[in-house]
Amino acid sequence: MTKDYIIITMKFHIITIFSHIYDSYFSESILGRAQKQEAIEIKTHDLRSFSGNKHRRVDDTPYGGGAGMILQALPILRAVSSILKRVSGKTKIVIFSAKGKQLSQKMVYDWAEKCDNIILISGRYEGTDERAKIILKKIARNASKNV
């Protein structure tokens, strides 16, 4: 007796400055098989292409001062806006940060039940400009803590 399955495709959008690093992993691992079976769809987005400057710079010193470099707000907001214009259904936005709660399997299961799309923003340097978090606050949840 065969079982009929309804495959619901979950779409992942990863915003990062290292978009090509993910390609081989996503095509060769269990994630590659899931994509071939159309259970998931993964797209990487190069944050630098949303920089708006000829040097494709996406980092800066923290607004208000501080040590280190952070990802600028404007390229992140442009990237998220670009993705949101092209997707349908409920979308979850996650900003990864080393400062808070660890991403768990339960969190991912909850998101999968409630959302059609997940936008993952890969933070680098000392973090992400707080202004981006404030602007995305209504629709974003930082995987490490509430934004």
Side-chain angles (χ1 to χ4, degrees), residues 17 47 58-59 70-73 76 122-125 127-129:
I17 59 173
L47 184 61
V58 295
D59 60 335
I70 61 170
L71 290 177
Q72 297 174 351
I76 293 169
S122 178
R124 293 281 185 238
Y125 307 112
T128 303
D129 189 325

Side-chain angles (χ1 to χ4, degrees), residues 5-97:
Y5 293 99
I6 299 173
I7 296 178
I8 299 171
T9 302
M10 172 67 80
K11 296 176 181 74
F12 294 91
H13 297 270
I14 302 171
I15 300 171
T16 178
I17 59 173
F18 302 112
S19 58
H20 298 296
I21 288 176
Y22 296 100
D23 294 339
S24 65
Y25 180 74
F26 291 154
S27 63
E28 298 298 325
S29 65
I30 192 170
L31 297 173
R33 290 192 304 270
Q35 288 183 85
K36 288 176 186 168
Q37 295 170 359
E38 298 181 359
I40 64 171
E41 183 179 315
I42 302 173
K43 292 186 179 181
T44 57
H45 304 270
D46 183 4
L47 184 61
R48 293 182 192 283
S49 66
F50 297 96
S51 69
N53 62 66
K54 71 178 184 176
H55 300 291
R56 298 172 41 102
R57 186 172 176 191
V58 295
D59 60 335
D60 204 352
T61 56
Y63 181 73
M69 300 294 280
I70 61 170
L71 290 177
Q72 297 174 351
L74 194 54
I76 293 169
L77 298 173
R78 286 178 178 154
V80 170
S81 177
S82 172
I83 294 166
L84 290 175
K85 288 176 185 175
R86 294 181 278 140
V87 299
S88 60
K90 293 184 180 179
T91 301
K92 178 74 170 173
I93 300 173
V94 179
I95 303 172
F96 288 109
S97 169

Side-chain angles (χ1 to χ4, degrees), residues 83-116:
I83 294 166
L84 290 175
K85 288 176 185 175
R86 294 181 278 140
V87 299
S88 60
K90 293 184 180 179
T91 301
K92 178 74 170 173
I93 300 173
V94 179
I95 303 172
F96 288 109
S97 169
K99 295 182 179 179
K101 190 167 57 171
Q102 186 175 5
L103 181 68
S104 69
Q105 190 70 37
K106 183 183 178 335
M107 291 168 70
V108 176
Y109 277 130
D110 290 344
W111 298 340
E113 287 180 0
K114 297 174 185 173
C115 301
D116 303 303

